[in-house]
């Protein structure tokens, strides 16, 4: 299969590219990524020279670039590219609407033109809004996004849905809970806590730390997307979750214990505006219909993630300093001109 992955230089996309080349060595993967602050080719260095892999630097909002990429015999698209951080969407929502909504529409149009056989749209549980102390999000829960990020993802989900109903584009949507694991940008809770604790810096906890998230290891999420790509029903939505609800404060304490650091590092800070209280996913549809289930228990996944961040000091230092950006941008501006066909 010739597979196009958008946003493959980011956290989940990068883990997915690596999985595809490992699990399906006969596949060819082209990775289209704009290399925003969140895109880092350091994370994919081990794939340099792999004959089944190509990188193309480009914006999913750029019709010509998307066409150049998709028209090279691509059969399926897995769409990760997005602005993904809630706090940034509160400061400025422009890039979120541009990439998440408009960029998705550009991809959908290109997918129609190129008769793509499968379009997997990677979305989020945040489109459902927030839960009280009980209950779960199912695929039938009405969309009620609360942050500009979640609203832009909900907008993209609705566009994807409409291309199925109107144009019969063979789409599938996944909605996953909070991911953790290697190569996550340290603005997100778990890598932020680990890297701050290592440096003895304060660990910022929004509000009283009682907000609940449902955590899943990124490799389990990638396995679920792999399953949906190959077996998912056209037009369906699949919730993906870790069956692992935890209040933020519990996560903070677990990490401090794993790193043998004092709880005095915990610092309560002003709450996130509109902070969703609780997410919890009912993922029984993907389990029953497609046979996927989680493989990595949270305690083990978290321990390995802490170890990964401690062992990959150079990656963390590069990301924190922003050094990775200038170097790769320049290199790929050059290489764009000589992009080889799949
Ligand atoms: P990320 O921020 O780590 O990576 C996003 C990637 O997209 C980066 O490589 C970036 O350079 C690229 N990108 C951004 N704008 C682009 C554009 N206009 N054109 C091309 N590339 C562009 O994100 P992530 O955490 O890996 O999330 C990936 C996807 O999964 C997103 O769609 C997100 O909504 C969804 N998701 C994330 C989580 C999570 O916990 N992180 C959970 C559920 C769903
Ligand atoms: O649920 C899926 C979503 O999970 C994805 O769609 C998003 O792309 C991803 O960023 C994530 O969103 P969250 O807002 O839940 O993740 P974040 O890591 O930013 O925050 C997790 C929780 O921790 C949340 O309740 C806010 C809190 N938090 C976060 C940060 C960065 C803190 O208490 N302190 C912090 O410094």
């Amino acid at each position: 299969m010739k597979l196009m992955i958008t946003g493959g230089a980011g956290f989940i996309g990068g883990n997915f590219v690596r999985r595809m080349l490992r699990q399906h060595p006969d596949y060819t993967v082209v990775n289209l990524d704009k290399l925003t602050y969140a895109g880092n080719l350091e994370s994919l260095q081990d794939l340099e020279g792999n004959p089944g892999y190509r990188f193309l630097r480009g914006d999913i909002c750029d019709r010509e670039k998307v066409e150049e990429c998709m028209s090279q015999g691509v059969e399926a698209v897995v769409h990760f590219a997005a602005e993904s951080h809630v706090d940034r969407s509160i400061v400025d929502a422009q890039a979120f609407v541009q990439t998440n909504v408009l960029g998705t529409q550009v991809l959908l149009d290109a997918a129609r033109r190129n008769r793509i056989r499968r379009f997997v749209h990677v979305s989020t549980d945040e489109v459902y809004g927030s839960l009280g102390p009980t209950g779960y999000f199912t695929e039938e829960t009405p969309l009620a996004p609360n942050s500009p990020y979640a609203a832009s993802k909900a907008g993209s989900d609705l566009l994807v849905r409409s291309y199925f109903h109107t144009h019969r584009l063979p789409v599938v949507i996944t909605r996953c809970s909070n991911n953790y694991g290697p190569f996550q940008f340290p603005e997100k809770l778990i890598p932020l806590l680990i890297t701050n604790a290592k440096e003895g810096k304060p660990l910022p906890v929004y509000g009283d730390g009682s907000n609940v998230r449902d955590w899943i290891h990124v490799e389990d999420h990638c396995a679920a997307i792999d399953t949906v790509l190959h077996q998912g029903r056209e037009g369906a939505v699949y919730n993906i979750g870790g069956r692992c609800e935890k209040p933020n404060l519990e996560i903070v304490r677990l990490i401090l214990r794993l790193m043998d650091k004092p709880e005095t590092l915990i610092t309560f800070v002003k709450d996130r505006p509109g902070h969703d209280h609780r997410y919890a996913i009912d993922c029984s549809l993907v389990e029953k219909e497609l046979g996927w289930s989680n493989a990595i228990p949270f305690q083990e996944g978290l321990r390995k993630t802490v170890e990964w961040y401690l062992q990959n000091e150079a990656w963390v230092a590069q990301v924190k300093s922003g050094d990775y950006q200038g170097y790769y941008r320049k290199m790929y501006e050059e290489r764009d001109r000589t992009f080889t066909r799949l």
Side-chain angles (χ1 to χ4, degrees):
M1 187 194 283
K2 288 181 180 168
L3 188 61
M4 172 173 164
I5 293 176
T6 70
F11 164 49
I12 308 172
N15 277 286
F16 188 75
V17 168
R18 198 172 286 106
R19 178 189 170 90
M20 284 295 104
L21 294 168
R22 192 177 60 234
Q23 298 291 120
H24 310 283
D26 52 329
Y27 285 14
T28 330
V29 172
V30 60
N31 171 13
L32 177 71
D33 196 295
K34 184 180 176 182
L35 297 185
T36 66
Y37 79 95
N40 183 1
L41 291 171
E42 280 291 317
S43 311
L44 295 169
Q45 255 191 347
D46 53 319
L47 300 180
E48 288 279 330
N50 185 321
Y53 173 68
R54 295 277 182 283
F55 176 75
L56 179 61
R57 181 169 176 246
D59 189 330
I60 57 165
C61 302
D62 178 343
R63 282 174 179 275
E64 278 178 26
K65 190 62 95 174
V66 167
E67 189 62 32
E68 175 191 344
C69 192
M70 217 183 275
S71 63
Q72 299 193 25
V74 166
E75 295 163 85
V77 176
V78 184
H79 174 32
F80 293 92
E83 288 294 335
S84 70
H85 192 45
V86 173
D87 293 330
R88 287 179 189 256
S89 80
I90 295 168
V91 175
D92 185 354
Q94 171 74 40
F96 288 76
V97 176
Q98 182 78 17
T99 286
N100 300 1
V101 183
L102 189 67
T104 300
Q105 179 250 315
V106 169
L107 286 171
L108 290 166
D109 279 342
R112 276 190 71 207
R113 270 196 307 276
N114 289 283
R115 301 186 186 286
I116 293 301
R117 289 200 280 122
R118 175 53 58 108
F119 187 102
V120 180
H121 177 61
V122 180
S123 192
T124 169
D125 60 356
E126 297 204 13
V127 297
Y128 296 123
S130 184
L131 290 165
T134 58
Y136 295 90
F137 297 133
T138 73
E139 287 80 358
E140 272 71 52
T141 303
L143 304 193
N146 290 320
S147 71
Y149 160 68
S152 67
K153 290 296 290 187
S156 67
D157 284 22
L158 294 178
L159 274 171
V160 172
R161 180 182 190 275
S162 77
Y163 274 65
F164 173 70
H165 284 273
T166 306
H167 300 298
R168 285 304 182 216
L169 190 71
V171 306
V172 192
I173 296 175
T174 60
R175 295 190 181 130
C176 188
S177 61
N178 285 62
N179 285 220
Y180 70 98
F183 299 110
Q184 187 168 30
F185 195 85
E187 65 186 350
K188 306 279 166 65
L189 182 69
I190 288 184
L192 178 79
L193 296 175
I194 299 170
T195 54
N196 275 17
K198 178 167 182 280
E199 294 174 36
K201 286 187 179 163
L203 306 191
V205 176
Y206 297 165
D208 62 3
S210 66
N211 301 67
V212 174
R213 296 293 182 265
D214 171 5
W215 293 97
I216 181 171
H217 194 279
V218 65
E219 283 175 18
D220 278 333
H221 183 194
C222 289
I225 297 170
D226 190 349
T227 306
V228 167
L229 169 67
H230 292 95
Q231 300 169 43
R233 232 180 326 115
E234 279 182 19
V237 174
Y238 295 97
N239 283 351
I240 302 166
R243 295 194 179 278
C244 176
E245 283 184 58
K246 301 242 176 267
N248 293 338
L249 203 50
E250 189 179 328
I251 300 283
V252 181
R253 293 206 165 109
L254 278 170
I255 289 174
L256 287 172
R257 225 172 298 142
L258 281 169
M259 296 180 69
D260 200 19
K261 296 283 183 183
E263 293 209 354
T264 49
L265 289 177
I266 298 174
T267 310
F268 292 95
V269 299
K270 194 166 166 282
D271 208 353
R272 172 186 278 174
H275 197 173
D276 284 339
H277 187 70
R278 174 172 168 259
Y279 303 147
I281 277 271
D282 175 352
C283 54
S284 52
L285 180 67
V286 70
E287 289 172 341
K288 286 189 189 132
E289 191 179 306
L290 305 184
W292 168 86
S293 61
N294 277 298
I296 304 176
F298 183 70
Q299 295 280 351
E300 182 194 325
L302 188 64
R303 185 179 51 75
K304 286 195 173 146
T305 302
V306 169
E307 275 169 23
W308 188 89
Y309 277 90
L310 297 182
Q311 283 163 6
N312 287 274
E313 276 182 349
W315 185 90
V316 173
Q318 265 222 336
V319 169
K320 286 209 158 181
S321 70
D323 280 356
Y324 63 101
Q325 292 189 293
Y327 174 75
Y328 281 107
R329 284 245 171 80
K330 216 158 167 250
M331 180 169 130
Y332 276 97
E333 269 157 22
E334 272 303 303
R335 220 189 251 191
D336 276 1
R337 283 177 230 131
T338 57
F339 178 60
T340 44
R341 299 183 77 81
L342 283 174

